[in-house]
Amino acid sequence: MLEILSLKHTVNFLRHALPISIMSAVLVLGSLVSLATNGINWGLDFTGGTVVEMEFTNPVDLNALRVQLTTPDSEGAIVQNFGSSRDVLVRLQVKEGVKSDVQVKSVMEAAQKVDPQVQQKRVEFVGPQVGKELAEQGGLAVLVALICIMIYVSFRFEWRLAFGSVAALAHDVIVTLGVFSVFQLEFDLTVLAGLLTVVGYSLNDTIVVFDRIRENFLKMRKSDPEEVVNVSITQTMSRTIITTGTTLVVVVALFLKGGTMIHGFATALLMGIFVGTYSSIYVASFLAIKLGINREHMMPVEIEKEGADQPPMMP
């Protein structure tokens, strides 16, 4: 009776699994190619450099300011608004033989040509050695997180489900990094924090689906694996919609109104939520089916008691 009621209101998600899985494979391959050829546009947190924050009396024309920043000391500066049209952030790469103080002085002289009353609000300097250490530690943080997750899911799920969840995580991380590589978006510490958040978000969504799959394999004894997976995804879809929807409201607000400092963080989360939601269905679950998951794999292992194979003793 439970199977009849479950199948009656089930959405056949796996009907589109093959073409979407092919699209995911293309996205992963394209991301890897872009990472190998274009690399990542590392921010000053990783490369080292100087950040100068200034406040102008009136909204400033960024192009006019860029024209002024053409001296050898400030060449290649990244100029962008910071919070409002009067606040400007200038990022300068480390130049061999040029001190940070000299670069800051050059920037302020250029800004004063645009607005004589401009004020310097903040100056930060990150040395190249510190930036290199941050890059190494950031990569190590992502690697350790993925290893810990692999250990966790290997104990919690049967190996076919565990492999599907790990593949989905790798898919989400690679595609998100690929977007930053293709569009050469700046990758700084806030983006790294967003990437680690994506890992946790994607894993949580996959575990919710896989827990229901495991339960339904034991309840729906006469259904084939695809039916069980479709029923499980349908039953958890309302939770996925509510969780994803409420998260997107916050992330979109951060993306549109959060300002320059957390724009990369919000971009990473937006990409991660999108790919993480569909990878739970069309990467993790579909891969588990292709690996041959069935009801027998979900059954608990029977422990044979000592002496169980001996005939009963006669009174």
Side-chain angles (χ1 to χ4, degrees):
M1 185 66 178
L2 174 63
E3 295 183 37
I4 296 175
L5 292 175
S6 299
L7 294 174
K8 184 177 179 181
H9 304 287
T10 299
V11 179
N12 188 5
F13 288 98
L14 295 181
R15 177 178 57 183
H16 308 291
L18 183 59
I20 294 181
S21 297
I22 293 174
M23 180 192 72
S24 294
V26 172
L27 288 175
V28 170
L29 182 60
S31 297
L32 292 174
V33 170
S34 179
L35 288 169
T37 56
N38 298 331
I40 293 178
N41 180 21
W42 299 104
L44 295 183
D45 293 332
F46 299 112
T47 62
T50 304
V51 177
V52 183
E53 181 183 347
M54 300 174 292
E55 182 179 6
F56 291 79
T57 55
N58 296 304
V60 62
D61 184 356
L62 296 184
N63 291 327
L65 182 58
R66 291 189 184 101
V67 170
Q68 298 297 329
L69 292 171
T70 53
T71 63
D73 297 335
S74 59
E75 188 178 2
I78 300 174
V79 183
Q80 54 191 177
N81 285 118
F82 180 73
S84 69
S85 58
R86 296 191 300 112
D87 296 317
V88 174
L89 202 68
V90 179
R91 300 173 182 265
L92 300 160
Q93 298 287 343
V94 175
K95 290 185 179 295
E96 188 175 354
V98 181
K99 294 183 178 180
S100 175
D101 295 341
V102 175
Q103 289 183 310
V104 173
K105 182 180 178 181
S106 177
V107 169
M108 293 306 300
E109 289 176 352
Q112 287 170 355
K113 293 178 181 178
V114 178
D115 182 359
Q117 298 181 355
V118 63
Q119 294 183 357
Q120 176 184 306
K121 296 180 63 177
R122 175 171 61 99
V123 175
E124 291 183 1
F125 173 73
V126 178
Q129 183 61 33
V130 176
K132 182 179 179 180
E133 291 177 0
L134 286 174
E136 293 175 353
Q137 293 172 0
L140 184 61
V142 176
L143 182 61
V144 169
L146 291 176
I147 291 175
C148 291
I149 287 171
M150 289 174 63
I151 295 173
Y152 168 73
V153 297
S154 64
F155 279 104
R156 176 156 184 172
F157 296 109
E158 198 271 342
W159 75 266
R160 294 167 182 83
L161 292 178
F163 187 84
S165 64
V166 172
L169 278 179
H171 165 273
D172 300 342
V173 172
I174 292 172
V175 172
T176 303
L177 286 175
V179 170
F180 277 83
S181 176
V182 169
F183 296 101
Q184 286 295 288
L185 302 176
E186 185 178 357
F187 192 98
D188 55 18
L189 284 177
T190 62
V191 178
L192 178 61
L195 193 64
L196 290 171
T197 306
V198 166
V199 170
Y201 183 91
S202 176
L203 178 67
N204 179 66
D205 202 37
T206 303
I207 285 178
V208 170
V209 175
F210 278 7
D211 274 337
R212 188 57 59 90
I213 289 175
R214 183 168 54 186
E215 293 173 5
N216 286 335
F217 262 120
L218 299 178
K219 294 178 181 179
M220 303 170 61
R221 301 181 179 182
K222 297 181 180 180
S223 299
D224 59 45
E226 288 194 8
E227 290 175 336
V228 172
V229 171
N230 278 324
V231 169
S232 302
I233 296 172
T234 302
Q235 291 173 345
T236 58
M237 186 52 60
S238 59
R239 175 259 174 204
T240 300
I241 292 174
I242 293 172
T243 304
T244 303
T246 52
T247 306
L248 278 176
V249 170
V250 178
V251 175
V252 170
L254 290 175
F255 182 80
L256 297 177
K257 299 294 183 180
T260 306
M261 289 297 292
I262 59 173
H263 191 268
F265 175 80
T267 303
L269 280 184
L270 277 177
M271 282 303 307
I273 290 172
F274 174 72
V275 298
T277 300
Y278 88 80
S279 69
S280 300
I281 302 172
Y282 296 112
V283 176
S285 302
F286 185 61
L287 183 57
I289 289 178
K290 288 301 179 182
L291 291 174
I293 192 73
N294 56 49
R295 184 174 180 271
E296 284 70 24
H297 299 142
M298 300 293 104
M299 298 298 293
V301 178
E302 294 185 5
I303 302 176
E304 186 176 349
K305 296 183 180 179
E306 185 178 354
D309 56 343
Q310 300 295 326
M313 297 181 63
M314 297 297 292

